[in-house]
Amino acid sequence: MALDFTFMDKYWEMFLQGAWITLQLSFFGVLLGTLLGIGLALMKISKNVVLKAVSSTYIELIRGTPMLVQVFIIYFGLVPLGLELSKFEAGVAALTINSAAYMAEVFRAGINAIDKGQAEAARSLGMTHGMTLRHIILPQAFRNMLPAIGNEFIIIIKDSSLVSTIGAAEIMYAARTVQGAAFKPLEPLLVAAAMYFVITFTLSKLLGVLERRLQKK
Amino acid sequence: MIKVSGLRKSYGKNEILKGINTVIEKGEVVVVIGPSGSGKSTFLRCLNRLEEPSGGEIWFEDSLITGRQADLNLIRQKMGMVFQQFNLFPHMSVMENLTLAPRKLKKLSKEQAEKTALELLRSVGLEDKAAAYPDSLSGGQKQRIAIARALAMQPNMMLFDEPTSALDPEMVGEVLDVMKRLAQNGMTMVIVTHEMGFAREVGDRLIFMDGGVIVEEGNPRAVFENPQHQRTKDFLSKVL
């Protein structure tokens, strides 16, 4: 069987636009998911029982249900409640909500791994809880967590393909459109796979550079 | 300067401190000794409320540390603390370790904070290490930096929690020398230690703790040479 990629002459632009949407979905998903994840992690390690319970429940619920179901609930399920999101917004929301649960666990583990003496030293100098987190705990935790965070970023990028199911025109959506239009079952998927790989591989290399830089200190 | 009355601390049913009463005067060097598990470190850590007391009162310079309204962060700025495990910030250079708190809390400019830091580093004999990171330092150097870091906040008193217990024997002297000079310059100090020679030489007062209470206290020489209580005698016979 010979592979035939001549359809790319006609459809390359569609793939390129898809890649751009995928990058945007991933960017916002990673950014917002990280922020929400830090918040959830801080809630879970706080002494406040209510915050703890809210965070734990959130994490268990989100981790315990498929992302595809979450995407559908956010895009279709919230309409009766008057919350009508665009496909892109729903995609970002789903990625954020989902990745935050995993990020929270990564951050919690990272923060807990920092020696208790670090916080004690900072507090004994008179630093507030917030300053201690910001200047002492989080910078050290972040360095240790970088591989796990990178892993999570890559998962978010790949999971963004699920958003094609609600019609957001990202890479996977482009591939399926081209499959039908060009009567090619395999090749458009190979193109899509290659594009995802290029994105994740580039990110993985960039994170590797960042990691080495931080280790040098 | 510090007045402790009826200080108690328990973890669940395990009572670590069973009512500690003592007064520490300005400029006094108080050395706390006792077997492990006697509660001496817990006592020290209650003084700046790194441990939350279960009962009793601690007054520091006319403010009730154990009160609900106490501004703990402000009080802690005035009480430096040095830990057994140094607890330097490994992601920061020595200079950053010394200047972070003064800059953030006392709002000193970078130049002011670094000037003070350099003077302190000189006083502990490590001015050439300003740009180094903690990982590259020996234990004795780390502890001297940790003392300088606490002093950078210009505290009115210093707490030492077994400052030489994690050091290789050949490095104990350099840290004790720094502490001795600090004592000679009139710093109020509370030191939990196993260094009996140091306690005898530098301490103004010795506190012997066992089983969560102060068993005996007094002039270090007097206590070492003529302990009044059997428990003190037993302990000293093992460590001297």
Side-chain angles (χ1 to χ4, degrees), chain A residues 117-118 120 123-124 131 135, chain B residues 45 76 87-88 91 104:
Chain A
Q118 290 290 308
E120 288 185 349
R123 297 309 300 274
S124 79
M131 288 171 71
H135 297 292
Chain B
R45 290 161 57 84
R76 284 177 179 151
N87 296 340
L88 293 180
H91 59 304
K104 298 290 171 194

Side-chain angles (χ1 to χ4, degrees), chain B residues 35-194:
Chain B
S36 53
S38 59
K40 55 193 192 302
S41 277
T42 307
F43 164 63
L44 191 78
R45 290 161 57 84
C46 280
L47 293 182
N48 66 354
R49 266 179 69 184
L50 279 186
E51 294 299 340
E52 203 55 53
S54 313
E57 285 187 349
I58 302 170
W59 291 84
F60 173 68
E61 294 179 338
D62 302 324
S63 50
L64 182 63
I65 295 182
T66 42
R68 272 178 176 278
Q69 265 93 47
D71 185 348
L72 266 190
N73 295 324
L74 197 64
I75 290 166
R76 284 177 179 151
Q77 290 184 30
K78 299 181 193 166
M79 303 171 100
M81 186 161 198
V82 175
F83 300 85
Q84 184 177 350
Q85 298 297 339
F86 329 124
N87 296 340
L88 293 180
F89 307 134
H91 59 304
M92 295 180 179
S93 69
V94 165
M95 183 52 90
E96 288 164 333
N97 265 276
L98 264 68
T99 53
L100 176 70
R103 287 179 63 190
K104 298 290 171 194
L105 298 169
K106 297 199 144 179
K107 308 289 177 203
L108 292 189
S109 71
K110 191 163 185 268
E111 291 72 30
Q112 281 173 300
E114 290 190 345
K115 190 164 162 279
T116 317
L118 268 180
E119 281 165 21
L120 283 167
L121 286 177
R122 201 168 299 136
S123 75
V124 298
L126 291 169
E127 69 239 72
D128 55 328
K129 297 293 183 189
Y133 280 82
D135 278 351
S136 66
L137 303 174
S138 72
Q141 291 172 331
K142 280 183 197 171
Q143 196 60 303
R144 284 187 280 158
I145 300 288
I147 294 172
R149 178 177 67 180
L151 291 174
M153 285 302 288
Q154 297 176 317
N156 298 351
M157 78 177 296
M158 290 280 286
L159 310 173
F160 292 85
D161 190 4
E162 302 198 26
T164 57
S165 296
L167 295 176
D168 292 333
E170 75 269 23
M171 293 172 182
V172 170
E174 62 191 67
V175 171
L176 292 182
D177 282 343
V178 168
M179 291 168 61
K180 208 180 295 177
R181 239 177 306 132
L182 205 53
Q184 283 159 359
N185 290 335
M187 176 63 80
T188 312
M189 296 159 78
V190 184
I191 306 163
V192 171
T193 187
H194 295 290

